[in-house]
Amino acid sequence: MSKRSKACDIPKEVRIEVYQRDKCCIICGSHFAEPNAHLISRAKGGLGIKENVVTLCNLCHHEMDNGKNTIEVTQKVREYLERLYPEFTDEMRKYNKWRNEK
């Protein structure tokens, strides 16, 4: 696994922390939800960190990624994370080879 893939994957600890934070789908309130949705997508280098991941049900996750209301759902996710982590920028949510090297 590449360093980028590893950084963009959501570790088990982060999934647990995000689910405890959100408790349900942050869009519709469904309890049939998982902490697996990236605000900045993995394809765009979005990190698997709590500041970039939310809990969504399958329907809302699909709507965010491929649905008719992608922009609206993504905006709701963005507003939710910005309320929780106002100091975080999109650049901080993305993989940066030089910044993320350990």
Side-chain angles (χ1 to χ4, degrees), residues 36-50:
N36 60 3
H38 290 71
L39 171 61
I40 305 297
S41 70
R42 288 182 62 157
K44 294 180 181 172
L47 296 170
I49 57 175
K50 67 181 181 180

Side-chain angles (χ1 to χ4, degrees), residues 39-62:
L39 171 61
I40 305 297
S41 70
R42 288 182 62 157
K44 294 180 181 172
L47 296 170
I49 57 175
K50 67 181 181 180
E51 296 86 356
N52 190 46
V53 175
V54 295
T55 302
L56 295 180
C57 68
N58 287 337
L59 291 173
C60 290
H61 196 172
H62 174 76

Side-chain angles (χ1 to χ4, degrees), residues 46-87:
L47 296 170
I49 57 175
K50 67 181 181 180
E51 296 86 356
N52 190 46
V53 175
V54 295
T55 302
L56 295 180
C57 68
N58 287 337
L59 291 173
C60 290
H61 196 172
H62 174 76
E63 194 64 29
M64 180 175 160
D65 290 344
N66 305 307
K68 294 178 185 176
N69 300 312
T70 298
I71 294 170
E72 292 86 355
V73 175
T74 302
Q75 186 59 34
K76 287 180 182 180
V77 170
R78 176 176 299 286
E79 289 169 0
Y80 178 78
L81 288 173
E82 286 177 350
R83 262 194 325 273
L84 295 173
Y85 311 104
E87 73 284 358

